[in-house]
Amino acid sequence: MKSLNKLQIMETKELTNIYSALYQDNKNQLLSPSQGFIGQLREDAIQLFLKNGFPGKKDENYKYTYLEPFFSNGYKKYLSPKSITFNTNHIFQCDVPSLDTHVVILLNGFYFDKVNPIRKLPNNIMVGSLSEAILRYPEIVSKHLGKYSRGTDSFVAINTALATDGVFFYVPKGSVLDKPIQIINVLLSDEELMVQHRNLFVIEENSEAKVVVCDHTLSPHKFLTNSVTEIHVGDNANFDYFRVQNEHNDSTQVSHTFINQKSASSVQSSVITLHGGLVRNNLHVKLDGEGCENRAYGLFVTDSHQHVDNFVFVEHAKPNCNSSQLYKGILDDKSTGAFTGRILVDRDAQKTKAYQKNSSILLTDEVKMNSKPQLEIYADDVKCGHGGTVGQLDEEAMFYLRTRGIGEREAKLMLMYAFANEILGEIKIEPLKDRMNELIDKRLRGELSRCNNCAMNCG
């Protein structure tokens, strides 16, 4: 056993050295004068990563998803965009909802529109390349970038040290976005690829915006994505954030979303995972002003050997804030899932109302679901609770439907759809809600083995 542990330590150290060498070999680019204040962020991040290494199997935050082996694969890693012939019409042959939106494309983690890297929208709203925003608007970016993702997570540290582009979205105070931003993350390569992008959304006080994110693979190669999104929502602002994940079974996605809310702000975030080999979603929310409201929803459907792990941490830092979490999963074949939900109520966060619920349906005896709700409360005038269920379809409900002449397969589908509809019903954008209802129905029927109506054979 001792020799095995030594071997594991050696392998971990060797892997850490690979990423350290990647950073050192590209220092001139990563720390160039054009990067400005980013240099110190990168230096601090790589030192943090070297100190902590990758989370081990005993790390409580990654207890159910051991990611180190995926980061040891020989993926190609690019700090500048590789020239790729890409027809943007292809993405609309897949499951990108037909919405009236401002469309933004990231190709392998890099902002695709080089002709217009920063788009000016009505009401002085801007969306574009983060690397370009660092050059043009350092006063905005430096105020927020890296401020909300601070911590000891090594995967976030790798991203901070090495990510060179992503989406910058800025809504100035008192502005309302006329229609949602739709960010389409496209993975397309002729080689196995690691993708890292960094997004920054700044929603200033008394403003309102919606963002829809769609994740897609358009080639059959293996992909590893390690992304970080930081979101600042100012006083009295409203923000809606929706993400649909639909990648093939040879993809591994690790996403980190950090939301910082100020007084009387309201945020709703939703993530629906339709497909993906391994998916780990980290959501960190800090209610950093009085009177905030945060609602977090999640739904995943898995089969084969897929694995989806949702980790949610909500910190109530100020009084009179409300938060709720509702995450659901439907697991089939030999798939696995996990949910960890932690609510932290600080000493000064009196009058807090917080609740979390996690429920899963297991369709076979070979699936496995882990659920770990946590409450950590230091204030004495609060209302907090959690609940959850893990089990099979309701036999009584099945019996009732069968006695009404409904066949067994259709009865099961009706119950699964009703189970999922509690999440789908919370989608605020009606065309998006209709599309998600259609896709979930197809997924439950086994008719969505890959992107719907897709011309690509991604597997």
Side-chain angles (χ1 to χ4, degrees):
M1 180 63 70
K2 288 184 179 180
S3 61
L4 178 59
N5 288 337
K6 287 181 180 179
L7 177 61
Q8 290 173 337
I9 291 171
M10 289 175 61
E11 290 176 345
T12 299
K13 185 176 181 180
E14 181 180 357
L15 183 57
T16 302
N17 289 339
I18 290 174
Y19 286 90
S20 175
L22 180 63
Y23 178 81
Q24 297 298 330
D25 292 344
N26 293 277
K27 254 191 170 184
N28 289 339
Q29 176 183 348
L30 294 169
L31 305 181
S32 67
S34 65
Q35 294 288 301
F37 66 93
I38 301 296
Q40 191 58 53
L41 280 178
R42 295 193 190 281
E43 283 284 281
D44 292 344
I46 198 65
Q47 292 305 317
L48 176 65
F49 171 66
L50 292 175
K51 176 183 177 183
N52 295 331
F54 285 95
K57 292 181 178 179
K58 295 183 179 180
D59 188 303
E60 281 298 312
N61 288 344
Y62 288 90
K63 182 177 182 179
Y64 305 117
T65 304
Y66 183 47
L67 289 167
E68 183 177 321
F70 295 91
F71 280 75
S72 63
N73 194 307
Y75 295 101
K76 289 289 185 179
K77 306 170 184 69
Y78 294 100
L79 302 185
S80 299
K82 182 182 176 183
S83 179
I84 297 176
T85 302
F86 173 58
N87 185 349
T88 56
N89 291 326
H90 281 163
I91 61 175
F92 294 105
Q93 294 175 354
C94 291
D95 292 320
V96 180
S98 298
L99 302 171
D100 183 17
T101 61
H102 299 286
V103 176
V104 171
I105 298 174
L106 284 184
L107 178 58
N108 298 333
F110 296 98
Y111 195 78
F112 185 69
D113 187 355
K114 302 305 179 185
V115 176
N116 190 15
I118 298 287
R119 289 162 57 188
K120 302 291 183 67
L121 303 178
N123 301 320
N124 298 313
I125 296 170
M126 297 184 291
V127 65
S129 161
L130 179 60
S131 61
E132 187 70 19
I134 291 171
L135 299 177
R136 294 194 197 182
Y137 308 104
E139 70 284 355
I140 298 175
V141 178
S142 62
K143 185 178 178 181
H144 299 283
L145 190 67
K147 305 298 184 185
Y148 315 118
S149 61
R150 294 187 181 277
T152 59
D153 191 297
S154 291
F155 301 114
V156 174
I158 293 174
N159 179 281
T160 303
L162 297 172
T164 57
D165 203 6
V167 174
F168 168 71
F169 177 43
Y170 174 68
V171 184
K173 61 182 179 181
S175 298
V176 177
L177 183 65
D178 59 337
K179 55 186 178 182
I181 298 291
Q182 185 178 4
I183 301 171
I184 305 173
N185 293 318
V186 176
L187 298 178
L188 176 64
S189 178
D190 58 2
E191 56 192 347
E192 296 182 358
L193 189 65
M194 179 178 180
V195 172
Q196 296 201 93
H197 50 276
R198 185 66 167 247
N199 303 322
L200 176 64
F201 305 161
V202 179
I203 318 299
E204 290 191 339
E205 58 265 30
N206 300 304
S207 60
E208 184 176 328
K210 295 181 175 69
V211 170
V212 177
V213 178
C214 307
D215 300 323
H216 292 276
T217 44
L218 293 187
S219 56
H221 299 82
K222 291 183 178 180
F223 292 98
L224 168 64
T225 300
N226 180 43
S227 65
V228 174
T229 300
E230 292 181 282
I231 303 171
H232 170 76
V233 184
D235 296 342
N236 297 295
N238 291 281
F239 183 63
D240 190 76
Y241 182 65
F242 181 90
R243 184 168 196 162
V244 55
Q245 299 170 315
N246 195 9
E247 299 181 351
H248 62 52
N249 285 346
D250 279 330
S251 67
T252 299
Q253 180 173 164
V254 186
S255 71
H256 314 264
T257 304
F258 296 86
I259 301 175
N260 185 74
Q261 293 184 231
K262 291 301 183 180
S263 297
S265 62
S266 176
V267 173
Q268 177 169 312
S269 63
S270 308
V271 57
I272 293 183
T273 308
L274 294 172
H275 269 294
L278 183 148
V279 178
R280 164 69 183 228
N281 295 313
N282 294 321
L283 174 63
H284 296 257
V285 177
K286 185 172 184 179
L287 305 180
D288 197 24
E290 192 166 354
C292 295
E293 182 169 352
N294 182 278
R295 300 173 302 282
Y297 299 100
L299 172 66
F300 70 83
V301 182
T302 57
D303 56 20
S304 186
H305 291 84
Q306 295 172 339
H307 176 80
V308 176
D309 181 354
N310 286 303
F311 179 94
V312 183
F313 174 45
V314 178
E315 179 183 1
H316 284 256
K318 298 294 170 63
N320 298 299
C321 294
N322 300 331
S323 72
S324 62
Q325 306 164 28
L326 177 59
Y327 278 73
K328 290 190 165 189
I330 301 174
L331 298 86
D332 202 356
D333 297 333
K334 296 182 180 180
S335 61
T336 54
F339 171 80
T340 301
R342 182 186 173 201
I343 297 174
L344 170 63
V345 181
D346 294 342
R347 191 176 304 277
D348 294 332
Q350 303 295 339
K351 304 294 183 181
T352 285
K353 293 181 181 179
Y355 186 73
Q356 64 179 208
K357 181 180 179 182
N358 172 233
S359 298
S360 300
I361 290 178
L362 315 181
L363 297 178
T364 73
D365 294 333
E366 296 181 280
V367 301
K368 185 176 182 180
M369 178 70 194
N370 292 290
S371 183
K372 186 180 179 182
Q374 297 173 287
L375 296 174
E376 190 174 346
I377 302 171
Y378 297 99
D380 51 20
D381 186 7
V382 302
K383 293 182 180 179
C384 299
H386 60 76
T389 57
V390 176
Q392 298 180 338
L393 291 171
D394 189 322
E395 292 184 1
E396 291 186 5
M398 277 288 295
F399 177 77
Y400 175 82
L401 293 173
R402 294 299 305 280
T403 59
R404 296 307 187 266
I406 298 173
E408 181 179 1
R409 172 175 164 75
E410 197 64 28
K412 286 182 178 180
L413 289 169
M414 290 176 66
L415 292 178
M416 287 189 289
Y417 185 79
F419 177 82
N421 193 58
E422 190 175 4
I423 303 294
L424 300 175
E426 296 295 336
I427 301 174
K428 294 182 178 181
I429 306 170
E430 286 301 323
L432 181 62
K433 180 190 292 187
D434 293 341
R435 184 60 166 162
M436 288 301 103
N437 275 293
E438 176 188 348
L439 293 178
I440 286 293
D441 181 67
K442 287 186 175 183
R443 183 72 171 93
L444 294 176
R445 293 177 181 276
E447 299 171 1
L448 193 66
S449 60
R450 60 171 61 94
C451 299
N452 190 46
N453 298 324
C454 186
M456 305 294 177
N457 185 21
C458 299

